[in-house]
Amino acid sequence: MKKTFSILTLTGMIALPIAVTAGGEQKISAVSDEKIEELARQVDELRGQLARKDEIAAENDAKLQAMSQELKDMESRLEDMDDLLEEQEERAEAWDLASRFLLSGDFRSRLDYFSATGADSLNPASGEIESGREYSSDTFLTNRFRLNMEVKATEYVKFKGRLGMYKTWGMESYARNDMNTWWPQFDGNSTRTPADNSVRVDRAYVNWTSIGGAPVWLSVGRRPTTDGMPSQIRLGVDKRMATASAQMEYAFDGASFGYQYDWGDESMGLGRIRFCYGRGFENGVQWDAATYHGSTDMYPLDDTDVAGLSWDVFETEDRLLYVQSFAALNMFMRPNFLDDDFHAMMDERASNYTEGNLYHSSAVYQAEAGNISYFFSGGWSRTDPGGRGMFNDYATSMIMRADGSMAPNPNWQPNTSGENGYSLYAGLRYDLPDTGLKFGVEYNYGSQYWIAFNPGHDDLYLAKLAARGHVAELYMIYDLPTGEAVSKYAKTFIRLGYQHYEYNYTGNDWNTKPYDTDEPALMTAALNMATESGSMVPVDSADQIYLTLDVFF
């Protein structure tokens, strides 16, 4: 219909001028139907475009209205977000107090089998040699839990701490130990000997670094001086866990001042040197007995102080050379024990007093080469006795009367000569990364007068690095397939190991002379002294097998 109307309209428009000029002489040519239809089509297109513009305008109006509503909704949401942010800012201060703490830890469950043979002794009544006593524990189970923490107080001041619990299964006290190979808890072995389920402070110290913008630092508190190098290789941790070397496993309170330097050579890396000071024993408040009571004690019990150098000569990603040397001044005969009853019993047996000084040095070189980790270590110790002596020959302090009873030897004198001791320690571990297995071997030797200074050792019964003789150890570590680690601290593995001890000389401290374990007569005296004093009995050989489950988190 529209097309018909358009054609008629166009026909009329064309015909009108023709009719006007019909009387004239000019002749107008006829317009074809095709031309008319083309013009009609163009008119329809124009009308369609006009109609489309109206539709677009209507759509744009609708969009503008929708956008206007969305803007209003956004303004409302922004107001809600402002309220929420204000609330979160109020909470953030409280959350910050907790989030600044970095926590990590480890748990270990351990099973031990132990057997030992005492040194042969001489029966004074019959004159016959008697075989040494046999000691054993078929299963000894322990749990150990430790929680580490770090937190910054300021940009350059950081606190580090570690809490620890170490107990025997089925016990809330010390287990029986007829060999007297561990002392009850005192300052030097706190959290290192299995006792009850109390959680105690193992480490707590503050580091102040970049003092005055220089590469120096000050550290004060309970020191990180247990699990020293290179024990981390055998323990499956791989990362250095303490400042000191393993020849000094002694927890104490003190301070250090250090300086870090750069060798300027990538193969040498960095170096650090520290001056360290600590207190190993506090004598407390004492009255002047010499003045007011006429005391003739020339060697009273003094404070025991430890001072020396701790030096990372160089350290790279795969190598470390470490040297330490210290003096323990005014060494006590024995420490103060946490157990009051045990301490009172020891006081009844012998008074405590200052014996002299002890000098100690050790060095460790450890390195990695492919899948092999290895180390070499050596140590030296020397006593500097006071008037009461050190390494005293108590076996000759008594003589036998004709009736068989014992009497003090009038010619006996304390040993006031300095004695030197030496140790060697080496080990190797081979890793099979594709299987999660690691195999290791270690060996150490100690001479007659060697002092390891390690009451905080982690060998349970006998401190292997304190042995005056030979110790060999084989072990295996297996990384458990427990899934993807959820933190950089995560490790789960088991350790299976075997230790064999062969003693050449008795003891592990600085009080009594180390006697040759192949001398039965001396072993009789050593056994009697150990039984009476509570010190370590003479051991000829020992074997220990351990299995651990270690979880770090």
Side-chain angles (χ1 to χ4, degrees), residues 186-317:
F186 72 101
D187 192 57
N189 72 347
S190 181
T191 76
R192 307 292 296 181
T193 300
D196 57 15
N197 62 3
S198 298
V199 177
R200 295 184 171 87
V201 176
D202 183 24
R203 300 175 179 180
Y205 58 97
V206 170
N207 290 338
W208 177 16
T209 59
S210 301
I211 300 175
V216 297
W217 73 90
L218 175 67
S219 182
V220 181
R222 189 154 180 81
R223 312 308 301 151
T225 50
T226 54
D227 295 324
M229 299 168 293
S231 60
Q232 76 278 2
I233 298 175
R234 172 172 50 93
L235 296 176
V237 181
D238 298 333
K239 181 181 178 182
R240 181 178 181 176
M241 295 187 290
T243 302
S245 72
Q247 280 89 343
M248 179 186 176
E249 295 270 2
Y250 198 111
F252 69 94
D253 305 288
S256 66
F257 183 78
Y259 168 72
Q260 177 175 289
Y261 57 90
D262 191 332
W263 280 94
D265 186 336
E266 187 175 344
S267 64
M268 298 291 285
L270 301 176
R272 301 174 188 86
I273 189 166
R274 314 164 187 85
F275 171 76
C276 304
Y277 164 80
R279 175 144 294 179
F281 179 83
E282 170 59 51
N283 72 338
V285 178
Q286 302 182 29
W287 72 308
D288 190 350
T291 300
Y292 296 97
H293 193 58
S295 172
T296 58
D297 187 357
M298 301 297 292
Y299 312 102
L301 184 62
D302 293 326
D303 294 332
T304 300
D305 292 318
V306 182
L309 292 176
S310 170
W311 185 15
D312 299 354
V313 181
F314 64 82
E315 182 177 14
T316 66
E317 290 185 359

Side-chain angles (χ1 to χ4, degrees), residues 389-458:
M390 301 175 80
F391 285 132
N392 290 325
D393 185 5
Y394 291 114
T396 61
S397 64
M398 305 292 287
I399 57 176
M400 185 178 293
R401 295 191 178 108
D403 61 358
S405 63
M406 303 299 292
N409 182 355
N411 298 318
W412 185 85
Q413 294 291 328
N415 177 30
T416 56
S417 300
E419 305 290 356
N420 292 296
Y422 306 92
S423 77
L424 297 173
Y425 182 29
L428 179 148
R429 194 186 78 191
Y430 181 69
D431 299 353
L432 298 172
D434 294 336
T435 65
L437 289 169
K438 304 169 186 178
F439 297 93
V441 58
E442 292 187 0
Y443 167 80
N444 63 276
Y445 166 79
S447 68
Q448 180 177 9
Y449 291 101
W450 163 244
I451 301 171
F453 212 69
N454 66 342
H457 65 88
D458 193 35

Side-chain angles (χ1 to χ4, degrees), residues 357-360 380-384 417-421 451:
N357 302 327
L358 171 65
Y359 306 108
H360 199 283
W380 165 78
S381 63
R382 178 175 173 81
T383 54
D384 179 19
S417 300
E419 305 290 356
N420 292 296
I451 301 171

Side-chain angles (χ1 to χ4, degrees), residues 144-209:
R144 188 188 70 186
F145 162 70
R146 300 188 298 194
L147 181 66
N148 306 302
M149 62 192 73
E150 294 183 20
V151 60
K152 276 193 171 184
T154 65
E155 183 179 1
Y156 298 118
V157 174
K158 178 186 288 188
F159 168 81
K160 291 185 176 184
R162 183 164 78 182
L163 305 177
M165 181 278 294
Y166 188 20
K167 74 176 298 288
T168 304
W169 285 26
M171 297 292 289
E172 280 297 322
S173 61
Y174 299 99
R176 177 174 174 173
N177 186 341
D178 292 343
M179 296 178 63
N180 302 330
T181 56
W182 63 50
W183 285 348
Q185 180 173 305
F186 72 101
D187 192 57
N189 72 347
S190 181
T191 76
R192 307 292 296 181
T193 300
D196 57 15
N197 62 3
S198 298
V199 177
R200 295 184 171 87
V201 176
D202 183 24
R203 300 175 179 180
Y205 58 97
V206 170
N207 290 338
W208 177 16
T209 59

Side-chain angles (χ1 to χ4, degrees), residues 16 53 66 71 100 116 125 171 204 212 278 313 336 365 377 381-382 393 442 498 504 506 509 539:
L16 182 59
K53 287 181 180 180
L71 288 173
R100 290 185 302 112
M171 297 292 289
V313 181
N336 275 16
Y365 175 75
S377 180
S381 63
R382 178 175 173 81
D393 185 5
E442 292 187 0
Y498 167 70
N504 295 336
T506 60
D509 58 30
V539 178

Side-chain angles (χ1 to χ4, degrees), residues 113-120 131-138 177-181 461-462 498-503 536-545:
Y113 163 83
F114 179 81
S115 68
T117 301
D120 294 345
S131 299
R133 297 176 179 179
E134 297 291 336
Y135 305 88
S136 67
S137 174
D138 55 355
N177 186 341
D178 292 343
M179 296 178 63
N180 302 330
T181 56
Y461 293 108
L462 298 170
Y498 167 70
Q499 295 172 321
H500 178 71
Y501 298 74
E502 289 284 345
Y503 281 87
M536 176 181 163
V537 302
V539 178
D540 179 66
S541 63
D543 295 282
Q544 183 165 336
I545 299 173

